[in-house]
Amino acid sequence: MRMESKKAWYRWPLMAVAVTGLALFAAACSDDDDGDDGGDETPAATSAATSGATQPAGGGETITISAGESIKIGISTTLTTDAAELGIPIRDAALLALSERPDIEGFSIENVIADDLCSGPGSEAAAQQLIAAEVVAVIGPMCSGGAVAALDDYGAENIVVITTSATNTSVTAQGATNLARTAWNDDVQGEEMAKFVYNELNLTNVVLVDDQSTYGKGLMDVFETSFTELGGTVASREVVTVGEQDYSAVVTTITGESPEMVVFGGYIAEGAALVRQLGDAGYEGAFMGADGIADQDFIDQAGEAAEGAYVSRGPQALETNFDEFIAKYIAEYGEDAGTQFTDFTYDGVNVLLNAIEQVATVNSDGDLEINQDDLIAAVKGITLENGATGTVEFLDNGDRDLAVGAINRVDQVTGGVLVELN
Amino acid sequence: MEQWIQLTIDGITLGGVYACIALGYTLVYGVLRMINFAHGELFMMGAFAGVYTLQGFQDHTSLNEDLPSLTITAAIFMGIVVAVVLAVLMERIAYRPLRHAPRLAPLISAIGVSIFLRNVMLRYTNARREVYPDVFPDGSIEIGDVSVSYIKLFLIGMSILFMVGLYLFIQRTKTGTAIRAVAEDRDTAALMGIDVDRTIVLTFVAGAALAGATGVCYGMYVGNAAAGMGFIPGIKAFTAAVLGGIGSVPGAMLGGYFLGLSEAYTTKLFGAQYKDVVAFVLLVAVLIFRPWGFLGKREDRRA
Amino acid sequence: MTANGSDVSVIPHAAASSAHLEVEDVVSGYGQIMAIKGITLRVDTGEIVALIGANGAGKSTTLRTVSGLLRPRSGRITFEGQKLDSVAPHKIVARGISHVPEGRAIFSQLSVRENLEMGAFQRKDKGGIAEDMERVAVIFPRLRERMKQDGGTLSGGEQQMLAIGRALMARPRLLLLDEPSMGLSPVLVETIFNTIIDINRAGTTILLVEQNASMALQIASRGYVLESGTIAMEATAAELRASDRVRKTYLGES
């Protein structure tokens, strides 16, 4: 007892000192951070501010660009971290599109590139950087989380944003009016799969399996909602764990439900193992997966059990100028980056430039005037023909309209390869 | 009812795999009081050795069709050889120099070896899965509504065979007795004329042979080998070893089957997303009431 | 019930060459602590030599250094003319030295038979091993009844018998015994010591560490007194028994 009370005697002051010290240290650090950030950004920001002729305006204001100045287009993409693998080709595709149209109404077009780190905070910082640089419009942010976070920043300045790669539903579900996206909403595929199963295959009783990833679970969530609305029954929902390969118990549970079809949201390794073990267990119903398994690897790994499986490949335009685009891209950069979204980005930039051409006018002083509300309306109302990703039109919420020359393509495994059905 | 029988078979299948891997953990822990976290990677390397062997037969001969029993045996043999060679190197390079270091050092070294092996295979395969050629006859045995595929029966049978083999080796041979002697008291074992270093290597070899052979059979069962495939079974097997009582050979087997069955039943009852939760709740519960596991010995004076 | 008298068959030593242990100026211990600080002793062929001393005097350290469990920091150990320091313990066994460690150190999870088999670990002659197993069973009949039992289930006396029997299975020419009387009843101590005499008469040289100095000096021909890691006295057993210092300190006489 005595020992303890003795200990306690000095413990409190000690702790108080420690806590105070920590607090001071933290405060010092955060001050430092602010200082550093300011130091890095201020020169760029100030030089941009002095070179610009107008202050960024809110609401339906008109941006005026003095003669001799350029039209600034912001590009928010990921140039560092692992995601740069996707982000750098996106930047390159945007620059390719910009280089093909050097000026509008005699005003040159200038790009301002900001690294959004594929994160919320990174994309907000990039937004502030681009806003300070007085951009007219922004291509990006690259990732869904970043787009959701930065939408408010751009919205406050009424700057139009075209994301070409943020595919999550939440991006357009924010209700932002200044947004459009050329990449397909993840949900489109889920809805289309449900329609395909219910309307085309006339199956009404399914079991859904996902891999507990954002993609896989999200896809199956949408499928469940759409399928139930159509009148179908989801007998049960099961999950598989990524990294495992023996799904016997899941398979036993599934076969216990005797579904007409098993629908899977996830990637190749788990999908192949599931199909294979369904086959081993004597399951004779149908199977459908999505773009996560749309690869020959899926068939190779699943073996004979994959035969007859349906594979949704996601929304695709029926006719595109992709070949022409990729030829230009390769001519410019030496090789196809092999990543998605370069074509969406190329189209996104062209949508933007077409819209600017529509609304920009030269006033009596020889300055270029662009009304922000007009620009947003022009982007939303655009029809881009012959794009690298087909014809681009947008729905009211900014999502791409599937009804315009596009379908959700479905393949079936036939003779050990994926064969397009429609 | 049929479904519960089916689930029991599923649990035994996976449990047998866990048990075979768990034996390696428990053996090495027995002699070194160390968790060889790279043990799951031996399982993975065995699976790769097996797939490359069978692919070799596929590409250059027609033996996979004509004499699958031969090629499968060869694949298992290669799985054992590769796992054993790696285990010997691992012990020599990563663990023996740290034998007298603080306990945490070899543990960290083991994690390093695990990461190293996984990344070597990731790089070698470009992160793709190697697909096992279809050598095992398709089909299944049907009893009422219960259906067990041949490959599943094979896996169940092989895991039991491996375990019995290991058990006999440990219990009935002079080397096995020496392993038990070293596990109990390294100094006294040395006084008997037992070469302790050699016995420790042999312990790694025994565990690795089992992991390698199991890796091949499991790879044939799931149809592929991948760099990451050893990780989760490794963790699960380690759990099984602790559950059964680490250091205890029968305990590892019991723990493996217990865990496999618990996962199978939980998948049906609550969904697969809860099977790990249930498994670890069970683990915690067992460790609260029996910290030494089902069949483990209370840590003795030499702990 | 126990072996007494030289007519009882006892395991013969393998070769009748000169068992001759020499420890010269050896320093050894654990980590930074040197439990023995330069000791010199000698065991001649056929002798029983007693090493007596208080707890912590360095007796066990001496034996552990001879059998290779500890490496001497300095000094020389030779056995039958060959250098022994920095030879691995399992190789020292092969040279003909068996060590029965303090506290018996029975493998409690191995059966009695397996314990004995481990004693003969380096031998390949199955016939010879079987014979020796039989001889141990003759010396210690109680072990015969318990062959299949786990070592851990034996009583203290039985464990000591097993420990000695196990050491004999290697057919040693030199037997190192560490506190064979520890924790045993007087009757059992008597039995064990009679057996030690028999083993010695059959030709095995013995270096005996004991706290029970009076028993040790009764069966030994010569003795050393170890104090704080150094040799304090060296003499024949009779001389030591007669010494005042030994009588006061180690034999408990006043």
Side-chain angles (χ1 to χ4, degrees):
Chain A
M1 275 312 287
R2 234 189 164 153
M3 284 291 289
E4 274 187 27
S5 64
K6 237 181 178 175
K7 263 185 194 164
W9 176 81
Y10 60 78
R11 198 181 280 160
W12 289 110
L14 207 70
M15 198 175 274
V17 169
V19 169
T20 317
L22 262 174
L24 286 172
F25 182 66
C29 283
S30 69
D31 275 347
D32 255 21
D33 278 0
D34 289 347
D36 278 356
D37 285 351
D40 284 349
E41 279 172 12
T42 311
T46 40
S47 73
T50 46
S51 71
T54 56
Q55 296 304 311
E61 295 199 12
T62 298
I63 299 169
T64 310
I65 298 167
S66 321
E69 299 290 337
S70 54
I71 306 168
K72 294 194 178 111
I73 307 289
I75 300 168
S76 168
T77 186
T78 304
L79 304 173
T80 54
T81 77
D82 285 349
E85 202 183 337
L86 286 175
I88 290 170
I90 285 176
R91 177 199 63 189
D92 291 346
L95 295 179
L96 176 65
L98 289 173
S99 70
E100 289 172 359
R101 219 170 316 184
D103 65 274
I104 290 174
E105 301 283 344
F107 285 76
S108 66
I109 294 174
E110 180 184 342
N111 64 74
V112 184
I113 300 168
D115 185 358
D116 64 22
L117 304 173
C118 188
S119 75
S123 300
E124 286 192 285
Q128 293 308 325
Q129 218 175 315
L130 296 175
I131 290 165
E134 301 196 316
V135 297
V136 173
V138 172
I139 299 293
M142 181 173 110
C143 297
S144 297
V148 169
L151 266 178
D152 283 349
D153 299 69
Y154 293 118
E157 304 294 338
N158 213 25
I159 294 176
V160 67
V161 174
I162 302 177
T163 179
T164 61
S165 54
T167 57
N168 196 276
T169 311
S170 58
V171 176
T172 43
Q174 304 291 305
T177 51
N178 58 327
L179 172 75
R181 75 169 146 197
T182 52
W184 296 103
N185 181 330
D186 285 342
D187 284 4
V188 173
Q189 180 172 211
E191 290 162 14
E192 294 298 315
M193 283 168 74
K195 284 186 208 160
F196 175 80
V197 174
Y198 192 84
N199 296 335
E200 308 283 324
L201 300 178
N202 296 315
L203 303 180
T204 56
N205 184 27
V206 300
V207 169
L208 307 186
V209 184
D210 70 70
D211 65 353
Q212 306 175 75
S213 69
T214 311
Y215 159 73
K217 182 177 184 302
L219 188 67
M220 288 303 100
D221 286 347
V222 174
F223 186 99
E224 182 174 18
T225 310
S226 308
F227 196 67
T228 316
E229 276 170 12
L230 289 168
T233 308
V234 173
S236 80
R237 285 193 63 167
E238 305 295 332
V239 300
V240 292
T241 306
V242 174
E244 290 182 358
Q245 282 284 292
D246 183 353
Y247 300 133
S248 309
V250 174
V251 165
T252 300
T253 311
I254 292 169
T255 50
E257 302 284 349
S258 313
E260 292 172 296
M261 177 183 252
V262 175
V263 186
F264 174 71
Y267 299 97
I268 293 171
E270 292 73 30
L274 183 64
V275 168
R276 191 183 179 94
Q277 287 162 34
L278 279 167
D280 283 347
Y283 169 76
E284 281 168 357
F287 179 89
M288 185 175 200
D291 52 351
I293 63 165
D295 194 294
Q296 187 62 34
D297 277 355
F298 162 71
I299 301 165
D300 292 346
Q301 289 174 27
E304 287 165 16
E307 197 64 19
Y310 296 98
V311 180
S312 159
R313 310 209 61 163
Q316 292 184 0
L318 294 171
E319 278 177 46
T320 69
N321 273 332
F322 180 81
D323 292 344
E324 191 186 320
F325 156 72
I326 204 70
K328 284 190 222 165
Y329 187 94
I330 292 169
E332 183 72 24
Y333 300 110
E335 59 174 0
D336 177 3
T339 56
Q340 305 181 62
F341 306 124
T342 50
D343 46 354
F344 289 110
T345 305
Y346 184 80
D347 285 357
V349 172
N350 281 319
V351 164
L352 180 61
L353 296 178
N354 287 359
I356 293 174
E357 276 180 355
Q358 280 177 29
V359 300
T361 51
V362 181
N363 66 13
S364 51
D365 299 336
D367 300 340
L368 190 72
E369 289 187 344
I370 301 172
N371 181 281
Q372 288 187 310
D373 282 349
D374 289 351
L375 180 60
I376 291 169
V379 166
K380 288 277 194 78
I382 209 135
T383 302
L384 180 78
E385 308 264 9
N386 305 323
T389 62
T391 302
V392 181
E393 282 185 25
F394 298 108
L395 300 169
D396 288 345
N397 69 354
D399 265 333
R400 220 162 135 178
D401 191 347
L402 186 72
V404 186
I407 52 150
N408 185 68
R409 176 175 154 189
V410 178
D411 289 2
Q412 188 170 25
V413 179
T414 312
V417 289
L418 286 168
V419 176
E420 189 169 348
L421 272 184
N422 3 49
Chain B
M1 189 59 215
E2 285 80 7
Q3 232 193 336
W4 290 97
I5 297 170
Q6 188 83 55
L7 285 168
T8 306
I9 293 166
D10 298 339
I12 289 172
T13 313
L14 193 53
V17 173
Y18 291 162
C20 283
I21 308 173
L23 283 169
Y25 281 107
T26 226
L27 285 175
V28 167
Y29 183 85
V31 296
L32 282 182
R33 297 289 183 274
M34 174 205 137
I35 307 297
N36 179 15
F37 274 118
H39 188 64
E41 270 55 51
L42 295 175
F43 169 82
M44 175 269 287
M45 295 303 283
F48 271 111
V51 77
Y52 289 133
T53 306
L54 289 176
Q55 284 177 355
F57 280 117
Q58 188 82 356
D59 294 345
H60 302 293
T61 70
S62 60
L63 285 172
N64 278 349
E65 287 85 50
D66 302 343
L67 205 55
S69 57
L70 175 82
T71 58
I72 291 169
T73 309
I76 293 174
F77 177 76
M78 285 310 292
I80 291 173
V81 168
V82 166
V84 161
V85 168
L86 279 170
V88 170
L89 289 175
M90 192 186 283
E91 195 273 337
R92 199 61 198 250
I93 296 167
Y95 305 150
R96 196 181 295 182
L98 298 171
R99 184 87 49 85
H100 302 286
R103 270 193 180 195
L104 215 51
L107 210 66
I108 292 166
S109 187
I111 293 171
V113 171
S114 158
I115 294 171
F116 174 78
L117 288 176
R118 214 177 313 152
N119 282 286
V120 164
M121 285 324 288
L122 267 177
R123 187 156 185 99
Y124 184 72
T125 59
N126 283 323
R128 288 167 67 97
R129 287 170 180 266
E130 291 290 353
V131 176
Y132 267 79
D134 217 356
V135 288
F136 207 86
D138 288 335
S140 53
I141 290 180
E142 316 270 345
I143 304 160
D145 278 352
V146 178
S147 131
V148 191
S149 61
Y150 292 146
I151 181 73
K152 202 174 239 179
L153 278 178
F154 171 74
L155 186 59
I156 294 173
M158 289 309 274
S159 57
I160 292 172
L161 186 73
F162 295 149
M163 273 186 275
V164 169
L166 183 95
Y167 188 77
L168 292 178
F169 168 71
I170 294 293
Q171 291 297 329
R172 298 266 192 277
T173 67
K174 197 168 157 187
T175 308
T177 313
I179 288 175
R180 284 183 289 140
V182 170
E184 193 172 336
D185 185 340
R186 211 187 286 173
D187 277 355
T188 305
L191 293 179
M192 300 297 107
I194 296 169
D195 184 341
V196 172
D197 279 342
R198 190 171 158 270
T199 307
I200 288 171
V201 172
L202 285 171
T203 310
F204 272 91
V205 164
L210 205 64
T214 311
V216 177
C217 297
Y218 183 78
M220 282 173 51
Y221 167 62
V222 299
N224 64 71
M229 73 184 288
F231 184 69
I232 288 184
I235 299 266
K236 293 288 175 61
F238 170 60
T239 310
V242 173
L243 210 52
I246 189 130
S248 159
V249 168
M253 301 181 197
L254 184 66
Y257 283 121
F258 182 85
L259 196 61
L261 287 170
S262 121
E263 286 191 6
Y265 295 144
T266 310
T267 299
K268 170 67 187 164
L269 289 173
F270 310 112
Q273 57 269 56
Y274 293 107
K275 71 182 165 52
D276 295 347
V277 177
V278 171
F280 284 97
V281 166
L282 284 170
L283 177 70
V284 169
V286 167
L287 292 186
I288 287 172
F289 296 107
R290 277 184 77 86
W292 50 92
F294 294 143
L295 300 177
K297 297 272 187 310
R298 289 173 197 245
E299 274 295 83
D300 60 3
R301 68 211 135 81
R302 288 171 196 277
Chain C
M1 147 187 136
T2 63
N4 52 6
S6 54
D7 53 337
V8 171
S9 63
V10 163
I11 296 167
H13 57 92
S17 62
S18 63
H20 184 80
L21 178 73
E22 268 189 295
V23 175
E24 289 170 77
D25 212 18
V26 163
V27 176
S28 180
Y30 305 86
Q32 298 301 310
I33 301 150
M34 290 301 110
I36 55 175
K37 300 160 184 162
I39 68 164
T40 299
L41 60 82
R42 194 186 83 244
V43 182
D44 288 336
T45 310
E47 270 193 311
I48 297 181
V49 173
L51 197 55
I52 61 178
N55 256 334
K59 305 185 301 283
S60 292
T61 306
T62 307
L63 293 195
R64 289 171 71 83
T65 308
V66 171
S67 62
L69 289 178
L70 293 174
R71 281 211 172 153
R73 290 302 164 91
S74 62
R76 266 162 58 88
I77 303 170
T78 51
F79 179 63
E80 295 173 342
Q82 284 185 306
K83 261 186 73 173
L84 218 57
D85 36 288
S86 73
V87 173
H90 67 273
K91 289 183 178 152
I92 289 178
V93 177
R95 299 263 185 99
I97 301 180
S98 277
H99 178 176
V100 180
E102 191 179 1
R104 274 83 78 166
I106 291 304
F107 297 117
S108 62
Q109 292 167 47
L110 269 55
S111 70
V112 169
R113 179 178 296 280
E114 285 170 338
N115 266 281
L116 293 173
E117 282 168 358
M118 286 299 100
F121 187 79
Q122 295 205 341
R123 294 173 56 188
K124 304 272 180 260
D125 54 326
K126 282 198 175 160
I129 293 171
E131 265 172 46
D132 287 354
M133 190 95 70
E134 179 57 28
R135 285 197 181 109
V136 169
V138 170
I139 304 169
F140 302 114
R142 281 165 72 173
L143 294 184
R144 187 195 294 280
E145 303 157 21
R146 309 217 186 302
M147 276 296 175
K148 285 183 180 155
Q149 261 174 255
D150 276 0
T153 65
L154 301 185
S155 70
E158 289 164 347
Q159 288 195 1
Q160 188 62 60
M161 294 172 193
L162 178 55
I164 294 173
R166 187 176 65 178
L168 293 178
M169 292 298 292
R171 291 203 173 178
R173 294 188 294 282
L174 173 63
L175 187 60
L176 311 177
L177 291 172
D178 198 343
E179 307 273 10
S181 74
M182 196 210 267
L184 301 186
S185 70
V187 179
L188 271 173
V189 172
E190 187 90 28
T191 309
I192 296 289
F193 272 75
N194 282 333
T195 313
I196 294 171
I197 294 170
D198 292 342
I199 292 165
N200 176 247
R201 283 193 187 144
T204 305
T205 309
I206 290 169
L207 176 56
L208 172 67
V209 158
E210 260 298 347
Q211 280 207 57
N212 188 339
S214 87
M215 285 297 285
L217 292 176
Q218 275 175 38
I219 66 166
S221 53
R222 291 189 303 115
Y224 293 85
V225 176
L226 208 51
E227 280 176 4
S228 316
T230 53
I231 302 284
M233 293 176 77
E234 173 192 356
T236 65
E239 283 166 353
L240 287 175
R241 279 202 304 273
S243 139
D244 277 355
R245 187 169 162 192
V246 171
R247 286 165 63 141
K248 270 191 191 152
T249 319
Y250 302 107
L251 301 180
E253 297 171 16
S254 50

